[in-house]
Amino acid sequence: MTIRVVLADDQPLIRAALQMVITDTADVQVVGEAGDGTEAVRLTTELTPDVVVMDIRMPGMDGIEATRLITTGTSTARVVVLTTFDDDDYVYGALRAGASGFLVKDMALDDILAAVRIVAAGDALIAPSVTRRLIREFADRPTAAPPRRTELERITDREREVLTLVGKGLSNAEIADQLSISVATAKTYLTRLLAKLDARDRVQLVILAYEAGLVAPSY
């Protein structure tokens, strides 16, 4: 099955570079390009892509608002934000808006292509190192949402342990090792957490763990 992608970035050179690497693949196809958030939302509605690669900083409607409109609307497209992480203040906002992860503009093009495949398959693009960096970056921000401890009343003590480890950036294999359980059991706990906490993917679990205070800001 071909993965249909919309590229949203106000820099034509970025779109051209991504288009070039995608053209050489058999399973990914660029079906549309947008130069701002408004156009990205329109093309997503019209072209029904599987994945939208969304820049955050664009003129007019930015990538955060565009992501929110796409993920809360009728579209089934999954969004990954494209950013310069070191100086971008909006990554956390994009994840809260429903993005399934983010890409860094200085990543190798092949890595970006691999990330598109991961998100299209229904997974979230959030590596342990990225998780830890997100926590450090946003832990002390006064705009963070208040703790969501009431949501945790629906989960067991063991599920809370798993959620804490997810929030710390551990992979399923690392969680299994930490809790002396099998990887399959760790995956089962993740599935239960997604259902009980009404989270769409691992990214939202990380955010919830942080907001609920399960992950120490100093981590």
Side-chain angles (χ1 to χ4, degrees), residues 13 72 109 117 119 123 139 147 149 152 162 170 176 188 194 218:
L13 287 177
T72 58
L109 290 176
R117 293 190 179 102
V119 170
D123 203 351
R149 291 189 179 277
L152 301 186
V162 172
L170 273 65
T188 297
L194 290 170
S218 61

Side-chain angles (χ1 to χ4, degrees), residues 64-201:
I64 293 178
E65 181 60 21
T67 296
R68 183 176 294 107
L69 291 175
I70 290 171
T71 59
T72 58
T74 59
S75 174
T76 59
R78 296 171 66 83
V79 179
V80 289
V81 298
L82 187 64
T83 180
T84 305
F85 185 81
D86 284 339
D87 62 359
D88 203 323
D89 291 334
Y90 305 106
V91 175
Y92 185 76
L95 294 176
R96 290 290 297 136
S100 294
F102 67 87
L103 309 178
V104 182
K105 285 188 176 180
D106 60 3
M107 288 174 65
L109 290 176
D110 286 345
D111 290 339
I112 292 177
L113 182 60
V116 168
R117 293 190 179 102
I118 289 171
V119 170
D123 203 351
L125 181 68
I126 186 158
S129 60
V130 170
T131 305
R132 288 189 285 270
R133 194 168 182 181
L134 277 172
I135 292 169
R136 287 197 302 268
E137 182 76 9
F138 298 106
D140 297 326
R141 297 196 175 187
T143 54
R148 300 161 62 180
R149 291 189 179 277
T150 54
E151 296 188 21
L152 301 186
E153 295 175 359
R154 298 194 292 269
I155 67 176
T156 66
D157 289 342
R158 178 62 102 178
E159 288 165 348
R160 184 188 296 260
E161 286 183 278
V162 172
L163 180 60
T164 300
L165 295 177
V166 170
K168 290 182 176 180
L170 273 65
S171 66
N172 288 347
E174 290 170 330
I175 291 171
D177 182 65
Q178 184 87 7
L179 299 179
S180 299
I181 58 178
S182 68
V183 175
T185 300
K187 290 180 179 178
T188 297
Y189 280 121
L190 262 293
T191 300
R192 290 176 184 171
L193 285 168
L194 290 170
K196 287 186 176 183
L197 299 177
D198 194 26
R200 58 183 280 150
D201 52 37

